[in-house]
Amino acid sequence: MSRIDSRTWTVEEARAALAKSGADFVTLFRQGTLEVEIYRPVGVDRQKPHSKDELYVIIAGRGSFVHGGQRSPFQPGDTLFVRAGIPHRFEDFTPDFETWVFFYGPEGGE
């Protein structure tokens, strides 16, 4: 069995995979505990707390990130972290909002 030592993908490739899925998100890559997704909710973010630690890197759009009782503005290029189990969501986001999502570590977080 061969192993992937490196992988690159473009935002355009991720967008195409997302469009093909018909969903708000699609998993693009898994390696060990790492999962890489692209996420683009339409209108409302209905996600629930996750069982792994999570990192977002904003691709496009602006809005507010609500996490653990705090509200933070975001814009393209920003990086957002949320621990496993913490309620969080994106609010008041622009129609072009999309983000990379990186889940990692053990269930329950590090």
Side-chain angles (χ1 to χ4, degrees), residues 36-55:
V36 178
E37 298 179 354
I38 185 171
Y39 179 50
R40 185 175 189 163
V42 177
V44 176
D45 178 6
R46 293 182 168 87
Q47 65 180 313
K48 304 289 184 204
H50 301 103
S51 61
K52 290 184 170 186
D53 289 338
E54 185 175 9
L55 192 72

Side-chain angles (χ1 to χ4, degrees), residues 5-95:
D5 290 321
S6 64
R7 171 71 171 102
T8 62
W9 54 89
T10 66
V11 171
E12 290 76 21
E13 290 170 328
R15 287 175 178 149
L18 184 62
K20 185 177 177 182
S21 78
D24 288 346
F25 72 94
V26 66
T27 301
L28 303 165
F29 180 77
R30 286 187 174 100
Q31 173 68 36
T33 67
L34 175 66
E35 295 177 41
V36 178
E37 298 179 354
I38 185 171
Y39 179 50
R40 185 175 189 163
V42 177
V44 176
D45 178 6
R46 293 182 168 87
Q47 65 180 313
K48 304 289 184 204
H50 301 103
S51 61
K52 290 184 170 186
D53 289 338
E54 185 175 9
L55 192 72
Y56 295 99
V57 179
I58 307 302
I59 298 168
R62 297 174 187 276
S64 295
F65 183 57
V66 177
H67 54 103
Q70 299 178 352
R71 176 181 291 271
S72 304
F74 68 83
Q75 63 183 358
D78 287 355
T79 302
L80 313 167
F81 170 77
V82 66
R83 291 188 189 282
I86 300 295
H88 62 283
R89 66 189 173 283
F90 294 95
E91 291 186 345
D92 304 321
F93 50 86
T94 56

